[in-house]
Amino acid sequence: MKQKIFLTSALAMGFFAPAFAEPSNTGTFPNDGYMQEDYTYTNAATADNMDSVYEGNVNAIAEYTEIPYSAEEGFYLTGVDDNNDAITAECTSGNFCPGVASTTYENNAFGDTGLQSCSTATSGAYTLSDAGASSSGQCYRTCDGHVSILHATGVTGNDYSDGTNTCVPTACENGYHPKAAVPNLTNIIGVSEEGSGYTSNTSTGFENYSENMSNTIIAKDPMAFAVDYGTKGIIKGHGRCSTQSGQEVWNRSTNSAQDPTIISNLTDETGQEGARYCYCQLDSYTPLNGSAIALPAPWVLRLAYDNADICEDLCGRNCADTLKFGYSAPLAFRAAVLGAIESSPAMCEANVITINWSNADAADVTANNAGTATYGSDVRTPVKAQTIKGKTFRGWRFSKPEQTNLP
């Protein structure tokens, strides 16, 4: 009979020692007592570290610090993700979001922290806003039904709670036409920072002094120029040489600014003998990604050249580079040019009607400025009518011109 062999080893009896993972980090017990995850604290199991516990049980209490969350202007907090990062969303229309400087999830539970109602903030007067609005001043109502424009029969745009508006007439009463707003270029462009580029024409040809501006003006357009102010937009204009003398903006004797000569109607004298005084006039302003806006700008004297030929060659370019540069003398000239433009809101402007006077000499029409009349305003008649033999002048009567039907 064979003997039975009994295996008494732990392995033979089916007992296995559990495998324990070692923490990834090793260090000494922290001075503040806050033990971190996945650590071995060497020789730290002492009564000094375990709140005077020598035996039995000791509790390890997890403590947490609230995380401060924030949101940028135009956004609000909606929640916290699995990584404890804030979840934000763009401010929705009809609301405004001034941003959240610091708040905690436990106290606010988020959902809509930082989202404020336009209707509540403005007592129901301005209930609308675009997505991403960051202040109550961006809350608005439509102009139609709230804003009146004299002589307008239709209005569009927005009326904002901060007092600004984009209201423009879409149609006007008979005798009037819609006129676009004239922007305040002193505020928009400013008189402190240098422009980013310019281009101009000279008597010898087209000159470009900035990238991406070659199509801004038409080559060979006499003395045309353009100045780019980056995100602030582009201005276009023309130079002109005149015999009309005047005062420049920069006094070289005192090295200081002075009021330059500004003329509303400057005779086009470029090319004439003695036309050595260079004037600059703005024609239009184009905002970034916008459409050109015509400007009612006067002529401003830039400087006097030694002779008419030099003026004709350099005037347009000098207008451009002076309006671009950012040191004292050019900035003073820019301030004068931009400040000479009177800004105005969009309006219904009276039509200017040309009057064709029969039996009147042109000089007699011009003498009384009788060639035009502004609708709703005065009518001026010529100094006198021509004498017709055998007839006594009775007076002029208005007559609508015959309409020609064009194919």
Side-chain angles (χ1 to χ4, degrees), residues 52 55 62-63 124 264 389:
S52 301
E55 60 182 344
E63 296 184 14
S264 297
K389 288 184 178 181

Side-chain angles (χ1 to χ4, degrees), residues 26-31 39-42 44:
T26 302
T28 57
F29 195 78
N31 292 330
Y39 255 88
T40 295
Y41 291 109
T42 306

Side-chain angles (χ1 to χ4, degrees), residues 3 12 31 47 86 94 145 202 231 271 293 300 327 338 342 389 391 403:
Q3 285 185 323
N31 292 330
T202 69
T231 59
I293 302 169
V300 181
Y327 55 94
L338 300 187
E342 185 176 352
K389 288 184 178 181
K391 295 183 179 182
Q403 300 297 315

Side-chain angles (χ1 to χ4, degrees), residues 359 385-393:
N359 296 96
Q386 295 171 346
T387 300
I388 305 297
K389 288 184 178 181
K391 295 183 179 182
T392 299
F393 176 67

